[in-house]
Structures are given as C-alpha cells and as structure tokens.
Amino acid sequence: MSVRTLPLLFLNLGGEMLYVLDQRLRAQNIPGDKARKDEWTEVDRKRVLNDIISTMFNRKFMEELFKPQELYSKKALRTVYDRLAHASIMRLNQASMDKLYDLMTMAFKYQVLLCPRPKDVLLVTFNHLDSIKGFIQDSPTILHQVDETFRQLTEIYGNLSAGEFQMIRQTLLIFFQDLHIRVSTFLKDKVQNSNGRFVLPVSGPVPWGTEVPGVIRIFNDKGEEVKKTGFKHGGNYVAAQKEGAFELYGDRVLKLGTNMYSANRPVETHMSATSKNLASKTQENIAPNPLAKEELNFLARLMGGMEIKKTSGPEPGFRLNLFTTDEEEEHAALSRPEELSYEVINIQATQDQQRNEELARIMGEFEITEQPEITEQSTSKGDDLLAMMDRL
C-alpha cells in the first residue's frame, strides 16, 4: 500500500464531484429575472462552485492531505465529501449524496483502469485540476490556491519511480475493487457491462515509450538480437504520438479525467446484482467502527483544516436533486441496500481525547445529534440537510 495515494484519490474524486454538481446546477438553472426565491440561478451556480473549490483547496487542508499516510475506509472519505459538498448554500439529501458519491467513484475507477501507464494517473489528476480552474476563472484568489496544489503535486510526484506509481495505482484499484455500480453514460458508450464491470479496450495508442505489440525479439547472452518473429495480437493498437505534459500548462494528451458531462446528458446509476451480493461481504470495509483511533484522528486532522463558509443572516440553503424527480429520489433512498448507504459518522468523545489535545479541541466542537427521519417537511427546498456535523 502506497502512503502517497490519498492526495490523488481526494483530488480526482473532488474533480468528479464538481463535474456532476456543475451539470446538475446548469440543468436546473433559471434566468435570474424569472427565478423564484427557492430556484437556482447562474449566480447561485458560480457561488456554489466557488465556495466548494475554495474549501477543497484550503491551504491547511492541503497540508494535512499531502502528509504521507495510508488510505482509510470508504466511509471515512465519504464523510469528508459530505462536509465538502455542504460547504456552500447547496444542500443534498441522503439519496442524492449517495448518487453523487457513486458517480464520483465509478468515474475515477474507470480512469484508473484505463491509464496507459501507472504514472498517467498524475495526468488524470492534472486534467481534473485544469477543468476546476475553468470553473473559477473570475476568482484569482481561488485560482492561486489551485495553482499552489499543482506545485505541490509536481514537487512530490514529479520524481517518483515507475514502481512507486505502480504501487499508487494498485492501492487505488484495491480501494475500488468491490464497487460495480452501473452508470448510464458508461452503459450507453458500451464501456461497462450490465454487471457493473468495465470493458477494457483492445485498440488505441499504446503507453508512451512502448512499441505496438506484434513482435518477439530473441537476444543472445551478449545482448545482441539474434532472431525476430511476429504474432497477431488481435487488437488495433497504434504508437503514442507524444507524451502528455506534466507542467502547470500544456497538452495533457490523455483525455481521461476531463469533464464527461459537458455534453449535458443525464446520468443515472443503478446497483448491479454483483454489488448487492457483495454488500454483506464488504460491509466491514465500508462501514467500520468510526471510533477506531486511526480513522478518528484522520477525520479530525482533515476536518480541522477545512474552513467552511457559513451563510450569513437568515438565508436558507438551496436543495439540489440529482434525480429527475423527487419521486425517483425517494425510490432510490428506499431501494438502496442498507450496507451500501453511507450514513454520517457520529463521533463520540472517548478517553483518547485526554491523550490528544488537538483532537479533544476539535471533538469538543461537534454536536452529537440523532439522525432525523426524512419527512415531507424535511425534504422541502432549503430544509433538506444531511444529518452531519453541525459546525467546526
């Protein structure tokens, strides 16, 4: 397991989250002069994206993120994205947040699987950051935050060996191995089967620095080529024309990690039979004991570095529905296997806080509340909140 995987996982999943939110906010956009008080406008869309990106690239948060550390459970990371998604006036209920997280994880899993070289996961990350910068062109302060993260990435990952990148890729694949959620876009493009597993291509450019398969060379003990034979590989491969740019600006060449929702097509998710069957087997990994010391410390350090902007005055949050209708959203919440629904972690103080002054300070600011039942009133626009940590 690589201790350098977490920043790449977080940034790429965060990029996919922003793609989905941007697409849904645009789909529900109402011209400002025609919008009611509880409807989205273009100004609201930009404000939501700016707030989330500013929080995501907060300097203290990035400092904690880039410290060498092992990956933690899906539930721990999901809690961080819950907090991040609600860093603005936007509010998602449980079903929409589940769908958002499904889309994020399956998109990045697909990108990791298709990376020509392990090192190319860094190009995928740069593609996400390039697109994120496109969302905040009018916000120079936030742009500077993203550019600083670019600098950290090139400084830390620029000199890693091929073996170290292979370890990072393997760590990511282990993290994603039991997720087989069907996504409509992937199904329509025929890159995903009905069981939720991806179809690996047998055509296209080969990894940079390698040759098109089809030749076997035999060398003697002096390293001299003595024989060459050919074979049919069954694919339609071509040589890579050039390597993608690993600098702040440049042609990444690789398209993985770019915004697949730019065509503005709706995207649905469905639980495959495989995922349902694996739910009970993976429950321990998805829903671990939230009081485990290392996981608790991880969440405390990360959330302690996040500065969440509070809405001033009586202004309510705006609800965003990732489903076509409220009925679809309610049905998804009821039909999703319990083992695959990520409830919010309620952190309770334990004796550990006496041994960890920083953790005690952060824990003391959490309000422990019960998860409220979803009622018709709670799902109205502005009141539909995830039951999560109330404040930092």
Side-chain angles (χ1 to χ4, degrees):
M1 300 285 283
S2 171
V3 295
R4 290 295 188 187
T5 308
L6 183 60
L8 300 181
L9 178 63
F10 175 81
L11 291 171
N12 284 287
L13 287 180
E16 289 299 323
M17 179 179 75
L18 291 166
Y19 291 165
V20 176
L21 294 178
D22 177 67
Q23 191 267 345
R24 293 308 301 160
L25 289 168
R26 289 181 183 275
Q28 298 183 25
N29 233 352
I30 305 293
D33 57 342
K34 298 180 181 180
R36 300 194 306 268
K37 187 177 181 180
D38 59 348
E39 291 181 324
W40 291 101
T41 66
E42 178 65 11
V43 173
D44 292 326
R45 183 189 69 84
K46 290 183 177 180
R47 178 181 174 184
V48 166
L49 295 179
N50 279 6
D51 286 350
I52 293 176
I53 295 171
S54 177
T55 301
M56 179 177 171
F57 291 91
N58 172 273
R59 182 179 61 81
K60 293 181 180 178
F61 182 66
M62 285 292 113
E63 287 176 356
E64 288 293 334
L65 189 71
F66 276 90
K67 291 179 179 178
Q69 54 194 301
E70 291 187 0
L71 283 189
Y72 288 80
S73 71
K74 297 177 180 67
K75 186 159 188 174
L77 287 174
R78 163 61 191 268
T79 302
V80 175
Y81 287 108
D82 269 327
R83 195 75 181 96
L84 183 60
H86 293 81
S88 68
I89 60 173
M90 180 190 67
R91 296 295 177 261
L92 300 170
N93 75 6
Q94 185 71 39
S96 285
M97 192 67 213
D98 283 340
K99 178 176 179 179
L100 174 61
Y101 194 69
D102 288 344
L103 290 171
M104 292 159 52
T105 52
M106 292 306 291
F108 187 42
K109 177 181 179 178
Y110 175 71
Q111 293 156 14
V112 174
L113 281 170
L114 264 66
C115 274
R117 304 173 299 172
K119 183 180 180 180
D120 289 335
V121 71
L122 195 54
L123 290 177
V124 174
T125 308
F126 288 164
N127 275 336
H128 279 114
L129 297 190
D130 288 340
S131 298
I132 289 173
K133 289 170 69 175
F135 292 142
I136 51 172
Q137 287 298 326
D138 299 330
S139 305
T141 302
I142 309 177
L143 272 172
H144 176 73
Q145 291 178 252
V146 180
D147 284 341
E148 179 61 21
T149 301
F150 256 113
R151 186 195 63 76
Q152 288 179 280
L153 284 169
T154 54
E155 181 179 295
I156 293 173
Y157 294 92
N159 297 318
L160 293 187
S161 66
E164 289 172 305
F165 274 112
Q166 172 61 18
M167 187 65 72
I168 289 174
R169 182 175 184 271
Q170 195 65 30
T171 305
L172 289 169
L173 292 176
I174 291 172
F175 180 83
F176 290 126
Q177 66 180 350
D178 293 324
L179 296 176
H180 306 292
I181 299 163
R182 292 175 293 171
V183 178
S184 62
T185 299
F186 293 142
L187 293 169
K188 291 173 184 176
D189 292 344
K190 301 187 185 302
V191 298
Q192 189 180 34
N193 293 322
S194 59
N195 62 2
R197 298 182 182 276
F198 290 114
V199 179
L200 298 182
V202 291
S203 62
V206 296
W208 173 255
T210 64
E211 298 180 10
V212 174
V215 177
I216 300 175
R217 294 182 175 88
I218 300 175
F219 298 83
N220 60 20
D221 56 359
K222 297 179 180 179
E224 299 169 340
E225 183 178 325
V226 296
K227 187 178 179 181
K228 183 165 64 176
T229 60
F231 68 93
K232 293 183 179 180
H233 52 72
N236 185 24
Y237 299 103
V238 296
Q241 296 301 310
K242 64 177 181 177
E243 186 179 24
F246 287 88
E247 293 77 30
L248 180 59
Y249 301 102
D251 183 6
R252 311 296 177 198
V253 180
L254 194 69
K255 299 305 179 186
L256 296 172
T258 55
N259 192 348
M260 70 175 182
Y261 306 101
S262 56
N264 201 29
R265 48 182 172 176
V267 181
E268 301 299 331
T269 58
H270 306 278
M271 300 303 302
S272 68
T274 306
S275 289
K276 292 179 181 178
N277 292 336
L278 285 171
S280 59
K281 298 179 182 178
T282 61
Q283 183 175 4
E284 182 179 353
N285 183 44
I286 293 177
N289 177 5
L291 298 181
K293 181 179 178 182
E294 289 301 320
E295 197 144 294
L296 189 61
N297 287 341
F298 164 75
L299 280 174
R301 287 197 308 272
L302 287 187
M303 292 192 172
M306 293 175 71
E307 295 177 0
I308 306 299
K309 294 185 178 180
K310 310 290 185 184
T311 55
S312 58
E315 180 182 8
F318 283 74
R319 176 185 169 222
L320 180 65
N321 186 352
L322 266 69
F323 295 83
T324 306
T325 64
D326 289 343
E327 289 74 18
E328 285 185 21
E329 188 176 45
E330 292 171 4
H331 175 73
L334 295 173
S335 61
R336 187 178 180 88
E338 183 179 353
E339 295 87 352
L340 294 176
S341 284
Y342 300 86
E343 297 297 330
V344 174
I345 297 176
N346 286 325
I347 302 178
Q348 299 176 0
T350 68
Q351 292 181 351
D352 284 341
Q353 70 183 60
Q354 298 174 358
R355 300 191 296 268
N356 189 327
E357 184 176 349
E358 179 186 4
L359 182 59
R361 176 183 59 79
I362 297 172
M363 294 296 297
E365 296 176 357
F366 285 129
E367 291 182 6
I368 310 302
T369 59
E370 296 293 327
Q371 179 91 4
E373 294 184 1
I374 297 178
T375 62
E376 183 176 351
Q377 181 178 3
S378 68
T379 55
S380 62
K381 194 175 292 275
D383 295 326
D384 192 13
L385 306 175
L386 276 176
M388 59 193 302
M389 300 74 155
D390 292 326
R391 70 175 191 272
L392 286 172

